[in-house]
Amino acid sequence: MTRLEFLLKTFATNTEQMRGMLDNQQTIVDTLVEKKEWVGLTDEEIEKLLDGMSLGCCARDVRIVQEKLKEKNNG
């Protein structure tokens, strides 16, 4: 086997090993990152939120909705 053949074989082997490692890493990432379906507010939940809000929307009102969505999607 010539030096060039040896280097090419070594490169091909290393490339295949790297592809395998990348595939394994992707599998691990896919497992760790749980893909959840978006959960929105029901009409009843929206009505309850609106009951506590003032007529004009303000930052406080937006934060109330945001917290409710966080509860539904993280817990």
Side-chain angles (χ1 to χ4, degrees), residues 6-7 11-13 15 17 20 25 27 30-31 33 42-43 51 53-54 57 59-60 70 74:
F6 173 77
L7 291 173
F11 177 77
T13 301
T15 301
Q17 289 174 346
Q25 288 175 348
T27 300
D30 290 343
T31 302
V33 178
T42 65
D43 289 342
D51 285 344
M53 292 183 183
S54 59
C57 185
R60 180 185 60 83
K70 281 182 184 178
N74 291 329

Side-chain angles (χ1 to χ4, degrees), residues 57-75:
C57 185
C58 66
R60 180 185 60 83
D61 297 336
V62 172
R63 282 193 284 277
I64 291 170
V65 173
Q66 179 178 306
E67 286 304 311
K68 186 65 177 178
L69 287 170
K70 281 182 184 178
E71 287 174 21
K72 288 193 78 162
N73 286 287
N74 291 329

Side-chain angles (χ1 to χ4, degrees), residues 34-40 69 72-74:
E34 184 179 335
K35 295 174 183 160
K36 289 185 175 183
E37 185 175 323
W38 173 255
V39 179
L69 287 170
K72 288 193 78 162
N73 286 287
N74 291 329

Side-chain angles (χ1 to χ4, degrees), residues 5-55:
E5 290 171 332
F6 173 77
L7 291 173
L8 289 173
K9 184 177 180 183
T10 302
F11 177 77
T13 301
N14 289 341
T15 301
E16 286 303 312
Q17 289 174 346
M18 291 297 288
R19 281 190 186 125
M21 289 170 52
L22 287 172
D23 289 343
N24 289 340
Q25 288 175 348
Q26 187 62 52
T27 300
I28 292 168
V29 168
D30 290 343
T31 302
L32 293 175
V33 178
E34 184 179 335
K35 295 174 183 160
K36 289 185 175 183
E37 185 175 323
W38 173 255
V39 179
L41 297 173
T42 65
D43 289 342
E44 183 178 278
E45 290 168 323
I46 291 171
E47 289 298 322
K48 283 183 183 178
L49 289 170
L50 290 175
D51 285 344
M53 292 183 183
S54 59
L55 290 177

